[in-house]
Each structure stands twice: as structure tokens, then as C-alpha cells.
Amino acid sequence: ILNVEQSPQSLHVQEGDSTNFTCSFPSSNFYALHWYRWETAKSPEALFVMTLNGDEKKKGRISATLNTKEGYSYLYIKGSQPEDSATYLCAFHRSQGNLIFGKGTKLSVKP
Amino acid sequence: DTGVSQDPRHKITKRGQNVTFRCDPISEHNRLYWYRQTLGQGPEFLTYFQNEAQLEKSRLLSDRFSAERPKGSFSTLEIQRTEQGDSAMYLCASSSWGAENEQFFGPGTRLTVL
């Protein structure tokens, strides 16, 4: 059984705080790791696709790292803003087909 | 809007009825995926197409579920004899071929079976 685990399940922070989430995935048969941001009533939005061990990607205040040997990825948000409130999903891509998603981390940023 | 679209956005039906959902992918994408998300869970893979060929089906896709992509463009997902356990968000995504190619998601169809 392939399991993708995300922690924490939910997170409440104040505006301006920096925060990070963890995604752990099987370290064998790795193909890619995807991060998505999903706001209520909207489509999940792709943040990063990471394929190489040691990859670090950045988009504005959000960045992600990847360790395929130990099977984890971190997502960092610097200086959280209320508009960052969403569920952050990671997904393990083990083949050319489907993604295996974690349950997500629900982030709430209070002004 | 050139993103992935899904229709309808919401569907309420009675147990035992059949329902059909439609997904229109991004036009140049040859891969199309269906996922289902239930409360408290992440999206779970159901099936995917490359052009008109259905290449993989999850064990979640019981014989009451059928998906088609007849011309390699839009896709339909039909659920026959709906059950309350079918209540979920049904998400469609599309992509080009390749590991680094993102899967772009539609807004989903929320199904409620009474």
C-alpha cells in the first residue's frame, strides 16, 4: 500500500508568521512529487513539480525542498498572509499515470 | 477561460438514480484523469485516458462507474444506481505527457446522493 502522509493536519498562524509543512512518501519507485494549493470552491492550483533529489523550488514567498532518498518534502511559506489560507496537498507520482495524494494541511492565517 | 472545466458543479440526486458528469480538458493536453475526494481525505485516483484510450483504472472504480473519452477531447463519468457512499467531489485533471508536466485540475463536481 502506497501511503502519502502530510503533517500537520491543520495549522493556524498569525499574519506575518512563517510556517512549514511536511509530506512523506515512499522512497522507492519515485517519479515526481507535486504540491498543490486548494482554496475552497476553486480548482486545485499547481505550485511545484519536483523530480530530482535535493531539488529546491521557489515561487514568491513559497518554497519547497525534496529528499527522495528518505522520502520527504517540505513546503515553506514566508511571512504568511490571509490570502495564503487554503489546503496544501502533496501528491506522489510513481509512474506516468495517477497521483497519490496526502490528506492535505489546512492552513488558516489570521489577520 | 482556457482551463479545465467541469459540468455540472453541483449535483443532488436520489439513491438509485444514474448521473453523468462532463470534463473538458485543456485543448492541447492528451491525458485526462478522474479523481474522487471524500470528506477528510485527499483526492483518490479513479481512472485516466491518454487520448481516447483508457489506460488505467483504480479498484475504486466499481462496475457501476464508467468513463469515456470518445474523441480524445472531453470525457464523461457515469455512475449508475448511485449509493450514498458515492457522495463526494469528483475532480478532473488534464496534462501533457511527461513527469514534469503538471496536472491541471478543474473545479470539480460535488455529488450529493440522498
Side-chain angles (χ1 to χ4, degrees):
Chain A
I1 295 176
L2 296 172
N3 240 10
V4 177
E5 302 285 345
Q6 289 190 247
S7 63
Q9 193 172 7
S10 64
L11 196 54
H12 299 264
V13 301
Q14 288 294 132
E15 182 176 355
D17 288 350
S18 293
T19 187
N20 65 85
F21 324 134
T22 304
C23 172
S24 62
F25 52 87
S27 53
S28 58
N29 299 317
F30 177 85
Y31 203 70
L33 194 284
H34 298 240
W35 279 101
Y36 286 87
R37 180 175 175 274
W38 195 2
E39 287 182 74
T40 305
K42 295 187 178 180
S43 305
E45 173 197 354
L47 291 174
F48 304 112
V49 181
M50 309 176 80
T51 57
L52 298 175
N53 185 44
D55 246 358
E56 289 189 30
K57 294 205 172 181
K58 188 175 181 182
K59 186 184 287 188
R61 294 179 293 98
I62 305 177
S63 60
T65 61
L66 179 68
N67 183 323
T68 60
K69 292 183 179 178
E70 295 181 41
Y72 65 84
S73 175
Y74 294 134
L75 187 80
Y76 301 91
I77 302 179
K78 185 177 178 182
S80 303
Q81 300 297 307
E83 57 265 30
D84 296 329
S85 298
T87 295
Y88 291 82
L89 292 165
C90 76
F92 172 65
H93 198 170
R94 63 179 174 92
S95 68
Q96 284 285 314
N98 57 295
L99 298 177
I100 300 168
F101 281 87
K103 294 182 180 180
T105 293
K106 186 172 182 180
L107 174 67
S108 298
V109 183
K110 291 184 181 178
Chain B
D1 188 347
T2 56
V4 179
S5 61
Q6 292 187 244
D7 183 68
R9 295 289 304 273
H10 303 273
K11 178 71 178 178
I12 300 173
T13 192
K14 291 183 180 178
R15 192 172 47 187
Q17 298 294 305
N18 299 343
V19 294
T20 300
F21 310 141
R22 177 179 169 124
C23 171
D24 286 90
I26 293 171
S27 58
E28 59 267 29
H29 286 174
N30 59 354
R31 293 194 166 203
L32 185 148
Y33 311 80
W34 285 99
Y35 293 86
R36 180 178 73 181
Q37 191 217 17
T38 52
L39 198 63
Q41 302 296 317
E44 296 170 295
F45 170 75
L46 293 178
T47 187
Y48 94 93
F49 293 84
Q50 180 159 306
N51 301 314
E52 64 276 5
Q54 189 172 16
L55 296 188
E56 191 173 348
K57 290 197 290 187
S58 160
R59 287 172 294 178
L60 292 175
L61 214 66
S62 76
D63 56 7
R64 296 185 297 105
F65 287 69
S66 61
E68 293 182 345
R69 194 183 183 197
K71 297 180 181 177
S73 56
F74 73 91
S75 175
T76 57
L77 178 68
E78 182 184 14
I79 309 174
Q80 296 182 325
R81 305 182 302 282
T82 52
E83 300 173 357
Q84 286 186 324
D86 298 331
S87 296
M89 174 74 83
Y90 289 84
L91 291 162
C92 174
S94 69
S95 76
S96 301
W97 186 90
E100 292 214 18
N101 287 321
E102 301 165 1
Q103 291 188 19
F104 291 84
F105 280 82
T109 294
R110 181 165 293 285
L111 173 67
T112 302
V113 182
L114 302 176

PDB file of all heavy atoms in Angstrom, chain B residues 44-62:
ATOM      1  N   GLU B  44      -8.523  10.844  -4.566  1.00  0.00           N
ATOM      2  CA  GLU B  44      -8.125   9.461  -4.865  1.00  0.00           C
ATOM      3  C   GLU B  44      -8.323   9.205  -6.354  1.00  0.00           C
ATOM      4  O   GLU B  44      -9.366   9.535  -6.920  1.00  0.00           O
ATOM      5  CB  GLU B  44      -8.978   8.486  -4.059  1.00  0.00           C
ATOM      6  CG  GLU B  44      -8.792   8.592  -2.555  1.00  0.00           C
ATOM      7  CD  GLU B  44      -9.831   7.777  -1.805  1.00  0.00           C
ATOM      8  OE1 GLU B  44     -11.032   8.102  -1.892  1.00  0.00           O
ATOM      9  OE2 GLU B  44      -9.446   6.797  -1.148  1.00  0.00           O
ATOM     10  N   PHE B  45      -7.334   8.597  -6.946  1.00  0.00           N
ATOM     11  CA  PHE B  45      -7.353   8.325  -8.376  1.00  0.00           C
ATOM     12  C   PHE B  45      -8.456   7.347  -8.750  1.00  0.00           C
ATOM     13  O   PHE B  45      -8.661   6.330  -8.069  1.00  0.00           O
ATOM     14  CB  PHE B  45      -5.992   7.751  -8.782  1.00  0.00           C
ATOM     15  CG  PHE B  45      -5.932   7.200 -10.183  1.00  0.00           C
ATOM     16  CD1 PHE B  45      -5.883   8.053 -11.269  1.00  0.00           C
ATOM     17  CD2 PHE B  45      -5.935   5.831 -10.400  1.00  0.00           C
ATOM     18  CE1 PHE B  45      -5.815   7.543 -12.560  1.00  0.00           C
ATOM     19  CE2 PHE B  45      -5.874   5.315 -11.680  1.00  0.00           C
ATOM     20  CZ  PHE B  45      -5.809   6.179 -12.761  1.00  0.00           C
ATOM     21  N   LEU B  46      -9.159   7.636  -9.836  1.00  0.00           N
ATOM     22  CA  LEU B  46     -10.170   6.722 -10.361  1.00  0.00           C
ATOM     23  C   LEU B  46      -9.717   6.093 -11.677  1.00  0.00           C
ATOM     24  O   LEU B  46      -9.698   4.877 -11.824  1.00  0.00           O
ATOM     25  CB  LEU B  46     -11.497   7.455 -10.581  1.00  0.00           C
ATOM     26  CG  LEU B  46     -12.218   7.946  -9.325  1.00  0.00           C
ATOM     27  CD1 LEU B  46     -13.486   8.704  -9.707  1.00  0.00           C
ATOM     28  CD2 LEU B  46     -12.555   6.788  -8.397  1.00  0.00           C
ATOM     29  N   THR B  47      -9.371   6.942 -12.655  1.00  0.00           N
ATOM     30  CA  THR B  47      -9.010   6.420 -13.962  1.00  0.00           C
ATOM     31  C   THR B  47      -8.309   7.501 -14.768  1.00  0.00           C
ATOM     32  O   THR B  47      -8.390   8.682 -14.419  1.00  0.00           O
ATOM     33  CB  THR B  47     -10.251   5.929 -14.730  1.00  0.00           C
ATOM     34  OG1 THR B  47      -9.847   5.266 -15.935  1.00  0.00           O
ATOM     35  CG2 THR B  47     -11.197   7.062 -15.093  1.00  0.00           C
ATOM     36  N   TYR B  48      -7.575   7.098 -15.828  1.00  0.00           N
ATOM     37  CA  TYR B  48      -7.028   8.108 -16.725  1.00  0.00           C
ATOM     38  C   TYR B  48      -6.995   7.635 -18.168  1.00  0.00           C
ATOM     39  O   TYR B  48      -7.003   6.426 -18.456  1.00  0.00           O
ATOM     40  CB  TYR B  48      -5.664   8.619 -16.249  1.00  0.00           C
ATOM     41  CG  TYR B  48      -4.434   7.954 -16.821  1.00  0.00           C
ATOM     42  CD1 TYR B  48      -3.795   8.471 -17.944  1.00  0.00           C
ATOM     43  CD2 TYR B  48      -3.868   6.868 -16.175  1.00  0.00           C
ATOM     44  CE1 TYR B  48      -2.634   7.896 -18.434  1.00  0.00           C
ATOM     45  CE2 TYR B  48      -2.708   6.286 -16.665  1.00  0.00           C
ATOM     46  CZ  TYR B  48      -2.094   6.807 -17.794  1.00  0.00           C
ATOM     47  OH  TYR B  48      -0.938   6.232 -18.270  1.00  0.00           O
ATOM     48  N   PHE B  49      -7.005   8.595 -19.067  1.00  0.00           N
ATOM     49  CA  PHE B  49      -7.013   8.371 -20.506  1.00  0.00           C
ATOM     50  C   PHE B  49      -5.780   9.034 -21.119  1.00  0.00           C
ATOM     51  O   PHE B  49      -5.379  10.120 -20.714  1.00  0.00           O
ATOM     52  CB  PHE B  49      -8.251   9.024 -21.159  1.00  0.00           C
ATOM     53  CG  PHE B  49      -9.549   8.397 -20.768  1.00  0.00           C
ATOM     54  CD1 PHE B  49     -10.191   8.763 -19.597  1.00  0.00           C
ATOM     55  CD2 PHE B  49     -10.145   7.449 -21.581  1.00  0.00           C
ATOM     56  CE1 PHE B  49     -11.390   8.194 -19.235  1.00  0.00           C
ATOM     57  CE2 PHE B  49     -11.357   6.872 -21.232  1.00  0.00           C
ATOM     58  CZ  PHE B  49     -11.979   7.245 -20.056  1.00  0.00           C
ATOM     59  N   GLN B  50      -5.243   8.356 -22.106  1.00  0.00           N
ATOM     60  CA  GLN B  50      -4.300   9.016 -22.999  1.00  0.00           C
ATOM     61  C   GLN B  50      -4.986   9.033 -24.362  1.00  0.00           C
ATOM     62  O   GLN B  50      -5.248   7.983 -24.946  1.00  0.00           O
ATOM     63  CB  GLN B  50      -2.970   8.283 -23.082  1.00  0.00           C
ATOM     64  CG  GLN B  50      -1.989   8.976 -24.020  1.00  0.00           C
ATOM     65  CD  GLN B  50      -0.558   8.592 -23.757  1.00  0.00           C
ATOM     66  OE1 GLN B  50      -0.067   8.706 -22.653  1.00  0.00           O
ATOM     67  NE2 GLN B  50       0.114   8.114 -24.791  1.00  0.00           N
ATOM     68  N   ASN B  51      -5.258  10.230 -24.834  1.00  0.00           N
ATOM     69  CA  ASN B  51      -6.140  10.401 -25.999  1.00  0.00           C
ATOM     70  C   ASN B  51      -7.463   9.681 -25.698  1.00  0.00           C
ATOM     71  O   ASN B  51      -8.052   9.937 -24.658  1.00  0.00           O
ATOM     72  CB  ASN B  51      -5.443   9.918 -27.255  1.00  0.00           C
ATOM     73  CG  ASN B  51      -4.147  10.693 -27.500  1.00  0.00           C
ATOM     74  OD1 ASN B  51      -4.130  11.928 -27.407  1.00  0.00           O
ATOM     75  ND2 ASN B  51      -3.071   9.988 -27.786  1.00  0.00           N
ATOM     76  N   GLU B  52      -7.916   8.778 -26.573  1.00  0.00           N
ATOM     77  CA  GLU B  52      -9.201   8.129 -26.299  1.00  0.00           C
ATOM     78  C   GLU B  52      -9.052   6.803 -25.553  1.00  0.00           C
ATOM     79  O   GLU B  52     -10.058   6.194 -25.161  1.00  0.00           O
ATOM     80  CB  GLU B  52      -9.965   7.904 -27.603  1.00  0.00           C
ATOM     81  CG  GLU B  52      -9.304   6.952 -28.576  1.00  0.00           C
ATOM     82  CD  GLU B  52      -8.243   7.623 -29.442  1.00  0.00           C
ATOM     83  OE1 GLU B  52      -7.955   8.814 -29.211  1.00  0.00           O
ATOM     84  OE2 GLU B  52      -7.717   6.942 -30.337  1.00  0.00           O
ATOM     85  N   ALA B  53      -7.817   6.371 -25.311  1.00  0.00           N
ATOM     86  CA  ALA B  53      -7.592   5.080 -24.662  1.00  0.00           C
ATOM     87  C   ALA B  53      -7.587   5.212 -23.136  1.00  0.00           C
ATOM     88  O   ALA B  53      -6.870   6.039 -22.575  1.00  0.00           O
ATOM     89  CB  ALA B  53      -6.262   4.505 -25.137  1.00  0.00           C
ATOM     90  N   GLN B  54      -8.387   4.359 -22.484  1.00  0.00           N
ATOM     91  CA  GLN B  54      -8.415   4.329 -21.020  1.00  0.00           C
ATOM     92  C   GLN B  54      -7.296   3.406 -20.566  1.00  0.00           C
ATOM     93  O   GLN B  54      -7.371   2.187 -20.749  1.00  0.00           O
ATOM     94  CB  GLN B  54      -9.779   3.827 -20.530  1.00  0.00           C
ATOM     95  CG  GLN B  54      -9.980   3.968 -19.037  1.00  0.00           C
ATOM     96  CD  GLN B  54     -11.400   3.636 -18.608  1.00  0.00           C
ATOM     97  OE1 GLN B  54     -12.167   3.030 -19.365  1.00  0.00           O
ATOM     98  NE2 GLN B  54     -11.794   4.026 -17.411  1.00  0.00           N
ATOM     99  N   LEU B  55      -6.232   3.966 -19.977  1.00  0.00           N
ATOM    100  CA  LEU B  55      -5.020   3.207 -19.712  1.00  0.00           C
ATOM    101  C   LEU B  55      -4.950   2.598 -18.314  1.00  0.00           C
ATOM    102  O   LEU B  55      -4.216   1.634 -18.103  1.00  0.00           O
ATOM    103  CB  LEU B  55      -3.782   4.077 -19.951  1.00  0.00           C
ATOM    104  CG  LEU B  55      -3.551   4.549 -21.383  1.00  0.00           C
ATOM    105  CD1 LEU B  55      -2.204   5.236 -21.510  1.00  0.00           C
ATOM    106  CD2 LEU B  55      -3.646   3.375 -22.358  1.00  0.00           C
ATOM    107  N   GLU B  56      -5.639   3.167 -17.365  1.00  0.00           N
ATOM    108  CA  GLU B  56      -5.550   2.659 -16.000  1.00  0.00           C
ATOM    109  C   GLU B  56      -6.853   2.927 -15.269  1.00  0.00           C
ATOM    110  O   GLU B  56      -7.458   3.987 -15.448  1.00  0.00           O
ATOM    111  CB  GLU B  56      -4.389   3.333 -15.260  1.00  0.00           C
ATOM    112  CG  GLU B  56      -4.050   2.698 -13.918  1.00  0.00           C
ATOM    113  CD  GLU B  56      -2.778   3.280 -13.289  1.00  0.00           C
ATOM    114  OE1 GLU B  56      -2.036   3.995 -13.977  1.00  0.00           O
ATOM    115  OE2 GLU B  56      -2.551   3.013 -12.096  1.00  0.00           O
ATOM    116  N   LYS B  57      -7.292   1.937 -14.489  1.00  0.00           N
ATOM    117  CA  LYS B  57      -8.496   2.093 -13.677  1.00  0.00           C
ATOM    118  C   LYS B  57      -8.189   1.661 -12.258  1.00  0.00           C
ATOM    119  O   LYS B  57      -7.583   0.615 -12.034  1.00  0.00           O
ATOM    120  CB  LYS B  57      -9.641   1.237 -14.231  1.00  0.00           C
ATOM    121  CG  LYS B  57     -10.193   1.728 -15.542  1.00  0.00           C
ATOM    122  CD  LYS B  57     -11.553   1.137 -15.845  1.00  0.00           C
ATOM    123  CE  LYS B  57     -11.490  -0.339 -16.172  1.00  0.00           C
ATOM    124  NZ  LYS B  57     -12.814  -0.841 -16.624  1.00  0.00           N
ATOM    125  N   SER B  58      -8.644   2.429 -11.295  1.00  0.00           N
ATOM    126  CA  SER B  58      -8.453   2.094  -9.892  1.00  0.00           C
ATOM    127  C   SER B  58      -9.447   1.016  -9.470  1.00  0.00           C
ATOM    128  O   SER B  58     -10.524   0.870 -10.064  1.00  0.00           O
ATOM    129  CB  SER B  58      -8.661   3.353  -9.053  1.00  0.00           C
ATOM    130  OG  SER B  58      -8.931   3.048  -7.717  1.00  0.00           O
ATOM    131  N   ARG B  59      -9.085   0.309  -8.383  1.00  0.00           N
ATOM    132  CA  ARG B  59     -10.038  -0.656  -7.823  1.00  0.00           C
ATOM    133  C   ARG B  59     -11.265   0.057  -7.246  1.00  0.00           C
ATOM    134  O   ARG B  59     -12.297  -0.554  -7.005  1.00  0.00           O
ATOM    135  CB  ARG B  59      -9.355  -1.461  -6.712  1.00  0.00           C
ATOM    136  CG  ARG B  59      -8.363  -2.476  -7.242  1.00  0.00           C
ATOM    137  CD  ARG B  59      -7.578  -3.108  -6.121  1.00  0.00           C
ATOM    138  NE  ARG B  59      -6.717  -2.132  -5.469  1.00  0.00           N
ATOM    139  CZ  ARG B  59      -5.951  -2.397  -4.425  1.00  0.00           C
ATOM    140  NH1 ARG B  59      -5.941  -3.595  -3.895  1.00  0.00           N
ATOM    141  NH2 ARG B  59      -5.188  -1.465  -3.891  1.00  0.00           N
ATOM    142  N   LEU B  60     -11.125   1.387  -7.014  1.00  0.00           N
ATOM    143  CA  LEU B  60     -12.268   2.166  -6.525  1.00  0.00           C
ATOM    144  C   LEU B  60     -13.372   2.242  -7.570  1.00  0.00           C
ATOM    145  O   LEU B  60     -14.530   2.501  -7.251  1.00  0.00           O
ATOM    146  CB  LEU B  60     -11.824   3.589  -6.176  1.00  0.00           C
ATOM    147  CG  LEU B  60     -10.903   3.781  -4.982  1.00  0.00           C
ATOM    148  CD1 LEU B  60     -10.492   5.241  -4.897  1.00  0.00           C
ATOM    149  CD2 LEU B  60     -11.589   3.336  -3.707  1.00  0.00           C
ATOM    150  N   LEU B  61     -13.004   2.045  -8.826  1.00  0.00           N
ATOM    151  CA  LEU B  61     -13.964   2.192  -9.923  1.00  0.00           C
ATOM    152  C   LEU B  61     -14.750   0.897 -10.063  1.00  0.00           C
ATOM    153  O   LEU B  61     -14.369   0.003 -10.821  1.00  0.00           O
ATOM    154  CB  LEU B  61     -13.209   2.525 -11.208  1.00  0.00           C
ATOM    155  CG  LEU B  61     -13.902   3.445 -12.198  1.00  0.00           C
ATOM    156  CD1 LEU B  61     -14.074   4.835 -11.625  1.00  0.00           C
ATOM    157  CD2 LEU B  61     -13.127   3.514 -13.490  1.00  0.00           C
ATOM    158  N   SER B  62     -15.868   0.832  -9.316  1.00  0.00           N
ATOM    159  CA  SER B  62     -16.684  -0.386  -9.365  1.00  0.00           C
ATOM    160  C   SER B  62     -17.391  -0.473 -10.715  1.00  0.00           C
ATOM    161  O   SER B  62     -17.323   0.443 -11.539  1.00  0.00           O
ATOM    162  CB  SER B  62     -17.715  -0.358  -8.241  1.00  0.00           C
ATOM    163  OG  SER B  62     -18.770   0.530  -8.567  1.00  0.00           O
TER     164      SER B  62
END
